[in-house]
Amino acid sequence: MYYKGDLIGRALNRAKREMFRLPGFRVVRGFEYGQALEQHLTRLPPLDARELPVLHELRKRGATLVDIQSMGLPETPAFFAALDKLVPELKAVQPGNGDNSPRLTPKRMMEFPEIYLWGLNERVLALVENYIGLPIRYHGIDVRREIADGKPNDVRQFHIDTEDHRMFRWIIYLNDVGLGEGPFQYIEREDTIGAVKKLHYGSGFVSDSRMETVLPRPTWHEATASARWGACADTCRIFHKAQAPVTKDRYSITLTWTSTTPIKSYPSTPYSDAAYAYLKSRINQRQLEALPAQ
Protein backbone atom coordinates (compact mmCIF):
# COMPACT_ATOMS: atom_id res chain seq x y z
CA MET A 1 0.00 0.00 0.00
CA TYR A 2 1.35 3.44 -0.95
CA TYR A 3 0.51 6.77 0.57
CA LYS A 4 -0.21 9.85 -1.51
CA GLY A 5 3.26 11.25 -0.84
CA ASP A 6 4.87 7.99 -1.96
CA LEU A 7 2.91 8.03 -5.21
CA ILE A 8 3.84 11.65 -5.92
CA GLY A 9 7.50 10.93 -5.20
CA ARG A 10 7.49 7.90 -7.50
CA ALA A 11 5.84 9.90 -10.29
CA LEU A 12 8.41 12.70 -9.97
CA ASN A 13 11.30 10.23 -9.99
CA ARG A 14 9.88 8.50 -13.04
CA ALA A 15 9.59 11.84 -14.83
CA LYS A 16 13.20 12.63 -13.92
CA ARG A 17 14.42 9.31 -15.29
CA GLU A 18 12.65 9.87 -18.59
CA MET A 19 14.01 13.41 -18.86
CA PHE A 20 17.57 12.26 -18.15
CA ARG A 21 17.36 9.82 -21.07
CA LEU A 22 16.99 12.67 -23.56
CA PRO A 23 20.39 13.06 -25.35
CA GLY A 24 20.50 16.85 -25.07
CA PHE A 25 19.62 16.80 -21.38
CA ARG A 26 22.27 14.14 -20.68
CA VAL A 27 24.95 16.36 -22.21
CA VAL A 28 23.90 19.39 -20.14
CA ARG A 29 23.50 17.32 -16.98
CA GLY A 30 26.90 15.70 -17.50
CA PHE A 31 28.57 19.09 -18.00
CA GLU A 32 26.96 20.50 -14.85
CA TYR A 33 27.95 17.42 -12.87
CA GLY A 34 31.57 17.69 -14.03
CA GLN A 35 31.64 21.36 -13.07
CA ALA A 36 30.25 20.58 -9.61
CA LEU A 37 32.92 17.91 -9.03
CA GLU A 38 35.67 20.32 -10.07
CA GLN A 39 34.38 23.13 -7.86
CA HIS A 40 34.14 20.85 -4.81
CA LEU A 41 37.57 19.30 -5.31
CA THR A 42 39.37 21.81 -3.08
CA ARG A 43 36.69 21.44 -0.37
CA LEU A 44 37.03 17.69 0.12
CA PRO A 45 37.84 16.78 3.74
CA PRO A 46 41.22 15.23 4.59
CA LEU A 47 41.19 11.45 4.40
CA ASP A 48 42.71 9.14 7.01
CA ALA A 49 45.44 6.99 5.44
CA ARG A 50 43.65 3.85 6.69
CA GLU A 51 40.78 4.53 4.28
CA LEU A 52 42.95 5.10 1.19
CA PRO A 53 42.88 1.42 0.08
CA VAL A 54 39.07 1.42 0.30
CA LEU A 55 38.83 4.58 -1.80
CA HIS A 56 41.24 3.12 -4.37
CA GLU A 57 39.29 -0.13 -4.72
CA LEU A 58 35.98 1.71 -5.02
CA ARG A 59 37.30 3.93 -7.78
CA LYS A 60 38.90 1.02 -9.63
CA ARG A 61 36.44 -1.85 -9.15
CA GLY A 62 33.26 -0.30 -7.72
CA ALA A 63 33.22 -2.48 -4.60
CA THR A 64 35.48 -3.97 -1.93
CA LEU A 65 35.31 -5.88 1.35
CA VAL A 66 36.28 -4.22 4.64
CA ASP A 67 36.86 -5.61 8.13
CA ILE A 68 34.80 -3.06 10.07
CA GLN A 69 36.44 -3.77 13.43
CA SER A 70 39.94 -3.27 12.01
CA MET A 71 39.07 0.34 11.12
CA GLY A 72 39.39 1.28 14.77
CA LEU A 73 36.38 3.61 14.90
CA PRO A 74 35.43 4.46 18.51
CA GLU A 75 31.71 3.99 17.76
CA THR A 76 32.13 0.42 16.49
CA PRO A 77 31.86 -1.54 19.80
CA ALA A 78 28.55 0.16 20.71
CA PHE A 79 27.36 -0.22 17.11
CA PHE A 80 27.77 -4.00 17.11
CA ALA A 81 26.63 -4.44 20.73
CA ALA A 82 23.29 -2.83 19.82
CA LEU A 83 22.96 -4.87 16.63
CA ASP A 84 23.66 -8.08 18.57
CA LYS A 85 20.60 -7.29 20.68
CA LEU A 86 18.44 -6.81 17.60
CA VAL A 87 19.42 -9.89 15.59
CA PRO A 88 17.21 -12.22 17.72
CA GLU A 89 14.28 -9.84 17.13
CA LEU A 90 14.94 -9.89 13.40
CA LYS A 91 15.08 -13.67 13.47
CA ALA A 92 11.64 -13.74 15.09
CA VAL A 93 10.01 -11.43 12.52
CA GLN A 94 7.30 -13.30 10.65
CA PRO A 95 7.29 -12.19 6.99
CA GLY A 96 3.97 -11.76 5.25
CA ASN A 97 2.59 -11.63 1.73
CA GLY A 98 5.49 -13.54 0.23
CA ASP A 99 8.12 -11.15 1.65
CA ASN A 100 11.45 -12.95 1.93
CA SER A 101 13.45 -9.94 3.19
CA PRO A 102 11.88 -8.90 6.52
CA ARG A 103 13.15 -5.77 8.25
CA LEU A 104 13.02 -4.13 11.64
CA THR A 105 10.91 -0.98 11.70
CA PRO A 106 12.58 2.45 11.54
CA LYS A 107 10.92 3.31 14.86
CA ARG A 108 12.57 0.34 16.54
CA MET A 109 15.91 1.13 14.96
CA MET A 110 15.89 4.70 16.23
CA GLU A 111 15.61 3.35 19.78
CA PHE A 112 19.29 2.44 19.29
CA PRO A 113 20.87 5.73 18.13
CA GLU A 114 24.36 4.26 18.51
CA ILE A 115 23.64 2.24 15.36
CA TYR A 116 22.58 5.29 13.34
CA LEU A 117 25.46 7.37 14.70
CA TRP A 118 28.08 4.99 13.31
CA GLY A 119 27.33 6.32 9.83
CA LEU A 120 28.04 9.86 11.00
CA ASN A 121 31.58 9.12 12.18
CA GLU A 122 33.78 11.84 10.70
CA ARG A 123 36.23 9.37 9.17
CA VAL A 124 33.34 7.55 7.49
CA LEU A 125 31.91 10.84 6.18
CA ALA A 126 35.33 11.87 4.87
CA LEU A 127 35.68 8.57 2.99
CA VAL A 128 32.20 8.88 1.53
CA GLU A 129 32.66 12.51 0.47
CA ASN A 130 36.05 11.83 -1.12
CA TYR A 131 34.46 9.08 -3.17
CA ILE A 132 31.23 10.87 -4.15
CA GLY A 133 33.13 14.10 -4.72
CA LEU A 134 30.29 16.39 -3.62
CA PRO A 135 28.57 17.40 -0.35
CA ILE A 136 26.89 14.27 0.98
CA ARG A 137 23.60 13.15 2.48
CA TYR A 138 23.40 10.25 4.95
CA HIS A 139 20.16 8.35 4.42
CA GLY A 140 20.47 6.07 7.42
CA ILE A 141 20.16 2.37 8.07
CA ASP A 142 18.26 -0.71 6.98
CA VAL A 143 18.51 -3.87 9.10
CA ARG A 144 17.19 -6.90 7.26
CA ARG A 145 17.17 -10.66 6.97
CA GLU A 146 17.36 -12.50 3.66
CA ILE A 147 15.38 -15.71 4.04
CA ALA A 148 16.99 -18.82 2.59
CA ASP A 149 14.33 -19.77 0.06
CA GLY A 150 16.48 -19.53 -3.07
CA LYS A 151 14.00 -17.20 -4.80
CA PRO A 152 15.71 -14.64 -7.11
CA ASN A 153 13.06 -11.92 -6.82
CA ASP A 154 13.39 -8.12 -6.78
CA VAL A 155 16.85 -6.96 -5.63
CA ARG A 156 18.04 -10.57 -5.70
CA GLN A 157 18.47 -9.98 -9.44
CA PHE A 158 21.22 -7.93 -11.06
CA HIS A 159 20.48 -4.22 -11.36
CA ILE A 160 22.12 -0.80 -11.18
CA ASP A 161 20.65 1.83 -8.87
CA THR A 162 19.64 5.10 -10.51
CA GLU A 163 19.37 7.48 -7.57
CA ASP A 164 22.56 9.42 -8.26
CA HIS A 165 25.74 9.65 -10.33
CA ARG A 166 27.53 7.91 -7.44
CA MET A 167 26.19 6.25 -4.33
CA PHE A 168 28.05 4.85 -1.33
CA ARG A 169 26.63 1.79 0.37
CA TRP A 170 27.96 -0.41 3.15
CA ILE A 171 26.34 -3.83 3.50
CA ILE A 172 27.66 -5.11 6.83
CA TYR A 173 27.12 -8.78 7.70
CA LEU A 174 25.76 -9.68 11.12
CA ASN A 175 26.45 -13.39 10.63
CA ASP A 176 29.06 -15.32 8.64
CA VAL A 177 28.11 -15.36 4.96
CA GLY A 178 29.56 -18.03 2.67
CA LEU A 179 28.64 -19.45 -0.71
CA GLY A 180 24.93 -20.20 -0.92
CA GLU A 181 24.28 -18.01 2.12
CA GLY A 182 23.21 -14.82 0.36
CA PRO A 183 26.42 -12.84 -0.17
CA PHE A 184 26.38 -9.47 -1.85
CA GLN A 185 27.20 -10.19 -5.48
CA TYR A 186 28.57 -7.70 -7.99
CA ILE A 187 30.24 -7.19 -11.34
CA GLU A 188 33.29 -4.93 -11.40
CA ARG A 189 33.03 -1.47 -12.90
CA GLU A 190 34.85 -2.19 -16.18
CA ASP A 191 32.82 -5.36 -16.82
CA THR A 192 29.62 -3.51 -15.89
CA ILE A 193 30.29 -0.87 -18.55
CA GLY A 194 30.67 -3.60 -21.16
CA ALA A 195 27.57 -5.47 -19.98
CA VAL A 196 25.45 -2.28 -20.05
CA LYS A 197 26.35 -1.74 -23.71
CA LYS A 198 25.72 -5.34 -24.74
CA LEU A 199 22.41 -5.54 -22.88
CA HIS A 200 21.30 -2.03 -23.97
CA TYR A 201 20.54 -1.61 -20.28
CA GLY A 202 18.67 1.42 -19.00
CA SER A 203 17.11 0.29 -15.73
CA GLY A 204 15.32 -2.66 -14.14
CA PHE A 205 16.34 -6.20 -13.23
CA VAL A 206 18.50 -8.63 -15.21
CA SER A 207 18.22 -12.39 -14.62
CA ASP A 208 21.27 -14.58 -14.16
CA SER A 209 20.58 -16.36 -17.42
CA ARG A 210 20.44 -13.10 -19.36
CA MET A 211 23.57 -11.73 -17.69
CA GLU A 212 25.39 -14.93 -18.53
CA THR A 213 24.82 -14.29 -22.24
CA VAL A 214 27.12 -11.25 -22.09
CA LEU A 215 29.38 -11.98 -19.11
CA PRO A 216 30.56 -15.44 -17.92
CA ARG A 217 29.85 -16.41 -14.31
CA PRO A 218 33.55 -16.56 -13.30
CA THR A 219 33.65 -12.75 -13.65
CA TRP A 220 30.83 -12.32 -11.11
CA HIS A 221 32.10 -11.57 -7.61
CA GLU A 222 30.58 -13.03 -4.43
CA ALA A 223 31.48 -10.99 -1.36
CA THR A 224 31.67 -13.86 1.14
CA ALA A 225 33.00 -12.84 4.55
CA SER A 226 32.78 -13.33 8.29
CA ALA A 227 30.35 -11.43 10.49
CA ARG A 228 31.33 -7.79 11.06
CA TRP A 229 32.85 -7.46 7.62
CA GLY A 230 31.14 -5.19 5.12
CA ALA A 231 30.82 -4.97 1.35
CA CYS A 232 31.45 -1.34 0.45
CA ALA A 233 30.03 -0.51 -3.01
CA ASP A 234 28.88 2.16 -5.41
CA THR A 235 25.59 0.57 -6.41
CA CYS A 236 24.91 3.28 -9.00
CA ARG A 237 27.95 2.27 -11.05
CA ILE A 238 28.03 -1.53 -10.92
CA PHE A 239 25.63 -4.39 -11.54
CA HIS A 240 24.89 -5.95 -8.17
CA LYS A 241 22.36 -8.00 -6.24
CA ALA A 242 21.70 -9.75 -2.96
CA GLN A 243 22.30 -13.34 -4.01
CA ALA A 244 19.33 -15.50 -3.03
CA PRO A 245 20.44 -17.60 -0.03
CA VAL A 246 19.67 -21.32 -0.11
CA THR A 247 21.36 -22.86 2.94
CA LYS A 248 20.81 -20.31 5.73
CA ASP A 249 19.38 -16.83 6.30
CA ARG A 250 21.61 -13.78 5.92
CA TYR A 251 21.47 -10.96 8.49
CA SER A 252 22.86 -7.55 7.58
CA ILE A 253 22.67 -3.80 8.00
CA THR A 254 22.91 -1.45 5.03
CA LEU A 255 24.00 2.18 5.37
CA THR A 256 23.52 4.56 2.44
CA TRP A 257 24.89 7.95 1.36
CA THR A 258 24.34 10.02 -1.81
CA SER A 259 25.19 13.58 -2.75
CA THR A 260 22.92 16.31 -1.40
CA THR A 261 21.61 16.76 -4.97
CA PRO A 262 20.76 13.22 -6.14
CA ILE A 263 19.25 12.49 -9.54
CA LYS A 264 16.12 11.24 -7.83
CA SER A 265 14.91 11.34 -4.25
CA TYR A 266 15.96 8.53 -1.94
CA PRO A 267 14.07 7.44 1.19
CA SER A 268 15.86 8.29 4.42
CA THR A 269 15.43 6.65 7.82
CA PRO A 270 12.61 8.61 9.51
CA TYR A 271 13.13 9.83 13.04
CA SER A 272 10.98 11.54 15.63
CA ASP A 273 11.58 15.03 16.99
CA ALA A 274 12.99 13.46 20.15
CA ALA A 275 15.37 11.24 18.18
CA TYR A 276 16.49 14.20 16.06
CA ALA A 277 17.11 16.29 19.17
CA TYR A 278 19.19 13.47 20.67
CA LEU A 279 21.23 13.06 17.49
CA LYS A 280 21.77 16.81 17.22
CA SER A 281 23.09 16.91 20.79
CA ARG A 282 25.73 14.30 19.96
CA ILE A 283 27.14 15.60 16.67
CA ASN A 284 28.94 18.65 15.28
CA GLN A 285 27.91 21.00 12.48
CA ARG A 286 29.75 18.98 9.84
CA GLN A 287 27.80 15.84 10.80
CA LEU A 288 24.54 17.74 11.12
CA GLU A 289 24.85 18.95 7.53
CA ALA A 290 24.90 15.32 6.35
CA LEU A 291 21.48 14.60 7.88
CA PRO A 292 18.30 14.73 5.79
CA ALA A 293 16.11 17.79 6.34
CA GLN A 294 13.93 17.49 9.44
Side-chain angles (χ1 to χ4, degrees), residues 46-64:
L47 188 65
D48 191 288
R50 287 168 286 187
E51 275 75 73
L52 284 173
V54 180
L55 181 62
H56 173 76
E57 288 297 299
L58 273 176
R59 287 174 172 170
K60 182 179 179 181
R61 307 182 190 282
T64 189

Side-chain angles (χ1 to χ4, degrees), residues 74-90:
E75 295 87 351
T76 297
F79 173 74
F80 281 121
L83 287 166
D84 286 345
K85 295 176 183 177
L86 290 173
V87 166
E89 289 186 27
L90 187 56

